[in-house]
């Protein structure tokens, strides 16, 4: 088993320090190994060290500027440290580079709603519904947005859609 896969195994067993040690050795040998840098960022993210995670993810996008998941993770980290504008711009980049990252739609929609940019939130969630019409979270967020906006007919329509797709009693 190569070193990277050993790190994956340690990570999967929640032995983050051993995974990190292996990945740091890989980076010592190859400073441009964006997979290992990304993985180090994910470890820090899992540990709640969002600033440290940002350091790794930002190195990833310097090496590979179209790495959608790194942008998603950067957006998530910025959201966690209450830097909403940076979070929004990075979630947008994640969607730009990979329009199938449904969590980017969900998180960005929530940020827009929190900032009372309700039309932006609605449009984004509607796009998310088209991207993945099997994801109940996107429909639930959209229904909650309509409830918040007192758009009862839209809320009922989306709620009915949710029930028809995911209710075991339908």
């Amino acid at each position: 088993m190569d070193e990277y896969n050993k790190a994956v195994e340690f990570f999967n067993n929640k032995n983050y320090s051993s995974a990190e040690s292996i990945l740091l050795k890989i980076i010592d040998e190859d400073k441009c190994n964006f997979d290992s840098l990304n993985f180090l960022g994910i470890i820090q993210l899992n540990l709640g060290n969002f600033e440290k995670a940002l350091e790794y993810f930002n190195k990833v996008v310097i090496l590979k500027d179209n790495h959608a998941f790194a942008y998603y993770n950067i957006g998530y980290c910025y959201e966690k440290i209450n830097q909403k504008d940076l979070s929004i711009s990075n979630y947008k980049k994640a969607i730009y580079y990979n329009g199938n990252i449904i969590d980017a739609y969900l998180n960005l929609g929530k940020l827009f709603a929190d900032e009372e940019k309700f039309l932006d939130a609605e449009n984004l969630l509607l796009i998310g519904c088209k991207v993945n019409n099997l994801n109940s979270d996107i429909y639930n967020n959209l229904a909650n947005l309509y409830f918040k906006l007192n758009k009862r007919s839209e809320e009922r329509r989306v709620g009915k859609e949710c029930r028809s797709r995911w209710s075991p009693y339908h």
Side-chain angles (χ1 to χ4, degrees), residues 15-128:
N15 186 343
Y16 299 135
S17 61
S18 295
E20 182 179 35
S21 294
I22 291 170
L23 294 167
L24 288 171
K25 287 178 188 171
I26 293 171
I27 296 301
D28 280 343
E29 294 173 16
D30 178 6
K31 304 270 187 249
C32 295
N33 188 315
F34 68 88
D35 287 326
S36 294
L37 288 165
N38 189 58
F39 205 169
L40 285 164
I42 291 168
I43 289 170
Q44 294 305 315
L45 189 129
N46 275 275
L47 294 171
N49 301 328
F50 302 112
E51 288 89 357
K52 186 67 176 171
L54 279 168
E55 291 177 27
Y56 288 119
F57 293 133
N58 281 315
K59 288 178 182 178
V60 170
V61 297
I62 288 169
L63 294 170
K64 189 172 181 182
D65 69 347
N66 64 347
H67 197 293
F69 288 100
Y71 284 115
Y72 170 80
N73 288 328
I74 291 169
Y76 183 81
C77 289
Y78 278 130
E79 183 178 356
K80 290 297 185 183
I81 60 174
N82 293 315
Q83 293 191 26
K84 305 297 184 198
D85 290 341
L86 291 170
S87 179
I88 287 169
S89 69
N90 281 281
Y91 283 143
K92 286 180 177 179
K93 288 178 186 176
I95 291 169
Y96 175 79
Y97 289 115
N98 182 344
N100 294 318
I101 304 174
I102 203 69
D103 285 343
Y105 291 95
L106 291 166
N107 295 359
L108 187 53
K110 181 187 176 307
L111 287 171
F112 282 151
D114 289 347
E115 292 185 353
E116 298 186 356
K117 295 178 180 178
F118 299 119
L119 185 58
D120 290 338
E122 178 184 22
N123 288 334
L124 192 72
L125 292 171
L126 287 169
I127 293 168

